[in-house]
Amino acid sequence: MRRTIRGVVLALVSTIGLAVAGGLTVARPATAQIVLKSAYGEASLAGPAKARGAVVWSHGRSVDSEDSEAPTPLYMKAMRDAGWDVYRLDRMRVSDTLPNSSRALAGYSEALKAKGYRRVALTGQSFGAFISLIAAGQTNAIDAIIATAPAAFGNFTEAFDSYRENAAQLWPILREVRRARVMMFFFHGDDFDPGGRAEPARNILTQRGLSSLIVDQPSLLTGHGAANTGLFVRRFGACIVRFAEEPPTPNDPPCDETWGRSPSAEMLQAALPANASGSARGNDATTTLRPYMGMWYGSYINGREVALSVEKAEGDAVYADYVLGAGMESDQPAERVRRKGRIENGELVFDEKGRNILRYRLRPDGRVAASWLDKDGHGRLDTVLRRVN
């Protein structure tokens, strides 16, 4: 039977406070400091009558910092741009427990449905993924869950004795999900992931008769925070929006988009010079440079395409065009710059004074390991480029 908002309130604690966000009033514990608010400001909310639904993102939990200060991940902008009202559940860690936060989230979900939203979806990272799944076992108001890197019991390095509970405790939680369809992402190299969670999760949800989509260790997306990257949005943003709106069908496009595997039309036009095949002239760099000649393509974890068109060598100098595709934000247009470099110990290096450093090294498989290093030493991006014919 569907719980009322009053029932949620009584289940929280006996000491009651009020949280108000965008016209939504929900009772909550005065000491819990669990607040629902608009992720992009009140002006971004279309309201129940116009929005395609309401989606609530829940952040992770750290033992030494407030994750409520963490930025809303980039993929939530895909939800906003698709017509969803995007909220986030901010929780102070002093009272951020699985029972407290999941009950509050269930209550907010019911309030959103009562307000008139046709769909309510929950998205969550790590601890936020756990509380989203638990909330889906406490109310029928939730239509879809998108859980990225679910974890609530520490990682391999700092909590070896308990981190396996990130798997063991996940199974009973999934068995309690009432009606929501469930999408989950597990990433390679995630120190919080005991491994082997995809197939059991898929089996449990199938046995429950719940629609699900489990994405296990997608290529090039590694680590616990992989879902916070631009590359994750480029590849899975559209699929997440589809899943939030409707159950998946066999006729859906592939969930993992092909972005970044071959140059976009815009990138090809920007990156391919008339003499892209190039020529190596001179005596010093000719032999070493020849394998680098032509156009190389890849993408960075921040969701920007990258290409290097190596044109020619003159003596010890190597000339190339470095092209960076448009970024995730409107103020990140595509860029193309001419670079002058050299061959150093078999590597192609561009390190002109006052400019970011580019380094390229041929791999045994015929691809190129590429590194971008901030000129001030504040950042680094690594990727692998493949030749474009």
Side-chain angles (χ1 to χ4, degrees), residues 98-99 102 126-139 145 147 150-153 165-180 182 184 197 200-201 204-205 208 210:
L98 292 177
S102 62
S126 190
F127 195 92
F130 256 74
I131 65 170
S132 296
L133 291 165
I134 295 171
Q138 299 175 346
T139 177
I145 303 289
F153 300 94
E165 295 300 299
N166 290 325
Q169 297 300 321
L170 183 60
W171 316 139
I173 290 172
L174 293 179
R175 293 188 183 100
E176 293 297 319
V177 174
R178 293 190 181 182
R179 57 174 293 274
V182 177
M184 284 195 290
R197 295 195 290 178
I204 290 172
L205 294 168
R208 298 286 320 287
L210 298 173

Side-chain angles (χ1 to χ4, degrees), residues 5 62 70 72 79 84 128 256 261 274 281 301 308 324 372 383:
I5 297 299
S62 300
T72 306
M79 298 289 291
W84 285 70
D256 190 352
R261 296 175 185 173
R281 300 194 297 272
I301 193 69
L308 183 76
L324 193 61
W372 172 96
T383 190

Side-chain angles (χ1 to χ4, degrees), residues 230-244:
L231 182 58
F232 179 80
V233 188
R234 297 288 197 188
R235 289 174 54 185
F236 294 104
C239 183
I240 289 172
V241 172
R242 288 197 304 270
F243 188 86

Side-chain angles (χ1 to χ4, degrees), residues 285-299:
T286 301
T287 301
T288 308
L289 180 65
R290 187 170 289 116
Y292 288 102
M293 298 298 297
M295 178 176 167
W296 300 86
Y297 170 81
S299 61

Side-chain angles (χ1 to χ4, degrees), residues 47-316:
K50 296 181 179 180
R52 297 190 65 81
V55 56
V56 182
W57 178 72
S58 296
H59 55 77
R61 186 183 190 279
S62 300
V63 296
D64 55 0
S65 62
E66 292 293 351
D67 272 23
S68 58
E69 299 175 0
T72 306
L74 288 171
Y75 76 87
M76 295 306 293
K77 290 184 178 180
M79 298 289 291
R80 179 197 63 186
D81 294 345
W84 285 70
D85 279 356
V86 181
Y87 296 87
R88 54 180 289 153
L89 188 73
D90 284 351
R91 316 173 315 272
M92 299 298 289
R93 60 192 171 97
V94 65
S95 56
D96 187 13
T97 66
L98 292 177
N100 272 355
S101 299
S102 62
R103 287 195 296 263
L105 184 54
Y108 280 124
S109 300
E110 292 188 342
L112 288 167
K113 265 295 177 67
K115 193 179 180 184
Y117 283 104
R118 71 192 81 177
R119 303 180 183 92
V120 172
L122 305 182
T123 64
Q125 162 68 15
S126 190
F127 195 92
F130 256 74
I131 65 170
S132 296
L133 291 165
I134 295 171
Q138 299 175 346
T139 177
N140 292 322
I142 300 166
D143 299 290
I145 303 289
I146 293 90
T148 60
F153 300 94
N155 60 21
F156 176 88
T157 304
E158 299 172 351
F160 180 79
D161 292 339
S162 64
Y163 95 108
R164 292 183 182 85
E165 295 300 299
N166 290 325
Q169 297 300 321
L170 183 60
W171 316 139
I173 290 172
L174 293 179
R175 293 188 183 100
E176 293 297 319
V177 174
R178 293 190 181 182
R179 57 174 293 274
R181 50 189 174 274
V182 177
M183 185 180 198
M184 284 195 290
F185 290 86
F186 301 114
F187 299 108
H188 181 72
D190 181 357
D191 200 29
F192 290 77
D193 194 337
R197 295 195 290 178
E199 197 59 31
R202 190 178 291 114
N203 290 339
I204 290 172
L205 294 168
T206 298
Q207 292 169 5
R208 298 286 320 287
L210 298 173
S211 294
S212 67
L213 189 52
I214 311 299
V215 181
D216 188 29
Q217 302 190 58
S219 64
L220 305 180
L221 287 164
T222 60
H224 193 56
N228 298 326
T229 66
L231 182 58
F232 179 80
V233 188
R234 297 288 197 188
R235 289 174 54 185
F236 294 104
C239 183
I240 289 172
V241 172
R242 288 197 304 270
F243 188 86
E245 295 191 346
E246 301 292 344
T249 71
N251 296 324
D252 288 343
C255 186
D256 190 352
E257 298 286 352
T258 59
W259 186 93
R261 296 175 185 173
S262 59
S264 64
E266 295 81 3
M267 190 68 174
L268 275 176
Q269 184 176 8
L272 192 60
N275 60 340
S277 58
S279 62
R281 300 194 297 272
N283 297 321
D284 299 325
T286 301
T287 301
T288 308
L289 180 65
R290 187 170 289 116
Y292 288 102
M293 298 298 297
M295 178 176 167
W296 300 86
Y297 170 81
S299 61
Y300 289 132
I301 193 69
N302 61 8
R304 301 187 75 166
E305 294 178 285
V306 60
L308 183 76
S309 291
V310 183
E311 181 184 342
K312 63 181 179 179
E314 294 180 355
D316 292 334

